[in-house]
């Protein structure tokens, strides 16, 4: 029952030779990079462990969708009103950006993290400027029993013509104080096969 409950929230992002996304670049922004891969395969649930362990698979990152941690009710309402779902027909480009935050981040209390995340760094305010062009989903890794190399997996999809917009958002976010707590970040770009 407990395993079943997490099953539908669990996602694996596997770099290898198969998958619906063709990897166009793998770039370390901070810390160690990930090995190059030709394709990204996204897999939901506990499912096919065999596939994840295939010798063609270079790496497999796992995360679960979860409840919101920081967002306020008014922010949530604005987000829901403006955001688009992943998987639009026009969204043929995507980015997977796994992120790890430092021990100093995790040593803070929830209210300290919230103040840094939004009142100071304006993560949501910045992000809102790019909706609905950019669709997003956040996966948490720290709650998993498997020792995961990142704290978060962030996934975005967009039309090719909106990629410059996406890059501008990244510049803004990466210059915030929130990002001074990011100690590993890899930027993986891809397009639909
Ligand atoms: C968390 C919005 C872009 C990385 C969040 C949260 C919101 C949000 C509302 C808080 C969720 C919660 O309450 O738990 C947005 C919007 C974006 C955007 C609207 C525009 C597309 C990005 C980008 C990245 C990113 C481009 C990475 C490069 C993260 C991470 C967290 C997060 C790592 C978790 C932070 C933590 O819990 O410490 N985002 N975001 N976001 N976002 Fe974004």
């Amino acid at each position: 029952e407990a395993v079943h409950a997490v099953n539908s929230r669990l996602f694996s992002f596997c770099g290898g030779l198969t998958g619906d996304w063709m990897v166009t670049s793998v770039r370390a922004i901070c810390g160690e990079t990930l090995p190059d891969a030709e394709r990204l395969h996204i897999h939901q649930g506990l499912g096919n462990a065999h596939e994840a362990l295939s010798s063609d698979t270079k790496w497999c990152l796992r995360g679960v969708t979860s409840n919101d941690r920081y967002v306020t009710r008014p922010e949530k309402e604005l987000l829901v009103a403006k955001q688009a779902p992943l998987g639009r027909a026009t969204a043929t480009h995507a980015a997977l950006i796994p992120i790890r935050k430092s021990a100093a981040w995790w040593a803070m209390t929830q209210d300290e993290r919230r103040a840094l995340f939004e009142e100071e760094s304006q993560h949501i305010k910045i992000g809102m400027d790019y909706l609905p062009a950019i669709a997003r989903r956040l996966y948490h890794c720290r709650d998993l029993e498997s020792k995961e190399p990142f704290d978060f997996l962030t996934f975005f999809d967009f039309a090719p013509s909106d990629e410059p917009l996406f890059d501008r958002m990244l510049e803004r976010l990466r210059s915030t104080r929130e990002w001074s707590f990011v100690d590993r970040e890899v930027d993986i770009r891809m397009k639909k096969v």
Side-chain angles (χ1 to χ4, degrees):
E1 178 71 31
V3 169
H4 185 77
V6 83
N7 191 32
S8 64
R9 298 199 287 118
L10 178 69
F11 290 79
S12 306
F13 296 81
C14 300
L17 293 178
T18 61
D20 293 340
W21 293 99
M22 181 196 295
V23 176
T24 52
S25 71
V26 176
R27 196 159 71 92
I29 305 300
C30 178
E32 205 190 323
T33 192
L34 283 167
D36 272 320
E38 281 165 48
R39 298 285 189 93
L40 182 82
H41 178 77
I42 306 173
H43 179 82
Q44 184 174 8
L46 292 169
N48 198 343
H50 178 73
E51 189 171 22
L53 293 173
S54 148
S55 60
D56 293 334
T57 304
K58 300 269 181 59
W59 42 263
C60 240
L61 305 171
R62 291 179 192 80
V64 289
T65 56
S66 187
N67 56 288
D68 296 323
R69 309 292 207 266
Y70 298 114
V71 80
T72 64
R73 174 56 54 192
E75 287 164 352
K76 175 103 184 174
E77 271 159 22
L78 288 171
L79 284 165
V80 168
K82 216 182 164 193
Q83 73 198 5
L86 290 176
R88 293 161 293 176
T90 50
T92 55
H93 282 209
L96 170 67
I97 307 183
I99 285 177
R100 190 180 68 204
K101 283 181 171 176
S102 66
W105 174 265
W106 294 108
M108 286 191 285
T109 61
Q110 186 67 16
D111 57 312
E112 288 168 333
R113 283 194 295 265
R114 157 69 201 191
L116 220 146
F117 173 84
E118 190 57 25
E119 278 67 35
E120 185 168 357
S121 303
Q122 307 205 306
H123 183 124
I124 301 171
K125 198 158 175 289
I126 292 171
M128 285 279 299
D129 287 346
Y130 302 89
L131 305 183
I134 313 297
R136 54 177 266 275
R137 202 172 214 181
L138 175 65
Y139 303 86
H140 293 260
C141 316
R142 281 170 71 88
D143 298 340
L144 295 174
E145 261 178 60
S146 50
K147 186 95 190 89
E148 292 296 323
F150 296 94
D151 294 331
F152 308 98
L153 308 177
T154 63
F155 188 87
F156 309 88
D157 71 14
F158 39 82
S161 56
D162 285 325
E163 194 142 12
L165 202 69
F166 183 66
D167 286 322
R168 248 174 285 146
M169 167 170 54
L170 284 175
E171 258 179 58
R172 290 175 71 188
L173 286 171
R174 285 173 181 152
S175 66
T176 62
R177 197 154 90 86
E178 183 199 351
W179 247 258
S180 70
F181 292 89
V182 171
D183 70 9
R184 190 176 178 198
E185 177 176 7
V186 183
D187 189 328
I188 303 158
R189 299 296 171 95
M190 55 214 132
K191 57 184 187 186
K192 218 169 233 166
V193 177

